[in-house]
Amino acid sequence: MPSDAAALRLIQRFLEMMAAERGASANTLAAYRRDLEAYAESGLDLQRAGPDDIRAHLEALAAQGLA
């Protein structure tokens, strides 16, 4: 879990929105939480992440054999 309180708040707000507005299931929310926490733990800034940052992160995961 990220130690950055701001990142944790952003993740929680996102998950609340996904549950309320999109009706995301508990499994979907848990998967999003894991992915977002891993992203934040890697040292990347959730508040400033742009499409290129996220794409690079996903490419790095794919290079490790993760989907």
Side-chain angles (χ1 to χ4, degrees):
M1 179 180 308
S3 59
D4 180 8
L8 290 173
R9 280 192 304 275
L10 284 173
I11 292 169
Q12 188 59 38
R13 287 176 57 201
F14 174 78
L15 295 174
E16 289 169 0
M17 180 278 300
M18 290 298 292
E21 294 181 18
R22 305 268 175 100
S25 72
N27 286 339
T28 297
L29 295 172
Y32 275 127
R33 179 182 300 279
R34 280 190 307 271
D35 291 345
L36 290 168
E37 287 178 352
Y39 186 88
E41 284 174 4
S42 70
L44 300 167
D45 187 345
L46 289 173
Q47 288 183 309
R48 300 182 200 282
D52 292 337
D53 301 312
I54 295 167
R55 195 171 296 112
H57 180 71
L58 293 174
E59 288 171 0
L61 292 176
Q64 297 173 26
L66 301 172

